Amino acid sequence: MAGAAQGGVPVNPMQQAAGAQQGALAGTVAAGTTNIGTIAGSDIGQYQNPYTQQVIDATQADILRGAQQGINALDYQAGRAGAFGGSRHGVALGELGTGVAQQLAQTSAAQRQAGFQSAQQMAQTDIQNRLAQANLGLGAAQQLGGLGQQSFGYGNTIQSQLAAQGQQQQAMEQALIDAAKAQYAGYTGSPVQGLGYVSQALGATTVPTTTTTTKQPGLFDYLTLAASAAPSDETLKTEIKLIGKLKNGIELFTWKWNQKAKDLGITGETRGVMAQRIQKIIPEAVLKHADGYLMVDYSHPELAGAK
Amino acid sequence: MSGGGKGGSSTAATEIPDWIKEPSIRNIGRAEDVQQIGYQPFYGIDVAAPNEAQRAAAQMNIGTAQAFGMMPQGYENMTAFSGMPQTQTIGGVTGYASAPMYEQAVQAGAAANPTQAQIYKSLFGNA
């Protein structure tokens, strides 16, 4: 049924389903409202044989003919016996008459009864036929309803498949749009990304630097530092020995002045720090003497206790 | 930093070692060159197209719907992938590329704002 063509145009299964559903409903209603009828409500007369009376008449005529023959025989016998018209003859005729009357009545009643029963049976058969027809209509309606459901199922399946196909295509197009948007984002973000290249190059390596601070003491420095600064150049020392450390980790040494120091007239304290080492960590505490050697300003807070 | 006069003078010099100085300069120069390249679009396939089996199944779906009279008016002649972009085959793979859509978007942006597009363009290709 589904897909059946009407005039060459395929019929939409959903339309078929709707039509079948309506047909099934109408068929069910028709079957349910069929007037099956009852024996009591039936007109039995219409089922009776219209020739029943003729049959009865013919049968009765036969019986009467038989009775006439019986009378004739009784008359003959009575005549031969010389008793025709006698009392015995009369009694015999009477008995014959009674029997004939009874036979006539019984035969007629039996035939009428048979006729009624036959009519009743035919009426019953008609009722059964109408019932069967109603059941047939109901069955057809049910079948139509089932076919309608089948058509509806076809329609739904096809529709779902089409929808899924459309969804798949839409997903592909969406993926394509997303890809194009990502490309456009790459395009618009390209200048900023370019900045990153230079920044990365600048920051790729931690560039080590060396800072050298050189101080040429002036007259004022000498006057100021005379009391606190002392020669401490490592190149003027000999027999240098590590004797300990300050709390901040600065190493303390003892030494003896070498010949170069003696030539420069340097004498005095032989305990303290090494100028070259202090220059790396506290450059501002190291001064360069006019003679070229380094001096340490022991008044610097970091060197408290170093002397 | 330096000072002079009666207070003497003090000089502080910070220097980058030679072993890192030259490579750093070259690296920065290279970064500036790369900066000029600009965005390089992808012209290959971004989304794979349905394969033969999927196309056949899709066409069968359409055929079934047509046979059952389920194609509404205006869709009677629809095919399985009508309305989809043109596929491309690159390296034996068939699919859809986003590059044409991207280029259209760039052109549309330039048409909508030519000044902005010119500024953008001037950022690249000057090396």
Side-chain angles (χ1 to χ4, degrees), chain A residues 256-276:
Chain A
K256 287 183 179 174
W257 297 112
N258 61 18
Q259 190 57 48
K260 186 179 174 184
K262 289 174 183 172
D263 291 345
L264 290 168
I266 298 171
T267 56
E269 189 65 59
T270 53
R271 179 181 178 277
V273 298
M274 292 292 153
Q276 278 81 353

Side-chain angles (χ1 to χ4, degrees), chain A residues 13 169 183 187 208 212 214 216 221, chain B residues 7 9 11 13 17 39 42 68 80 120:
Chain A
Q169 292 179 12
Q183 294 240 52
Y187 167 76
T212 307
T214 308
Q216 188 64 40
D221 292 319
Chain B
S9 64
T11 305
Y39 180 64
F42 175 63
F68 277 82
Y120 180 95

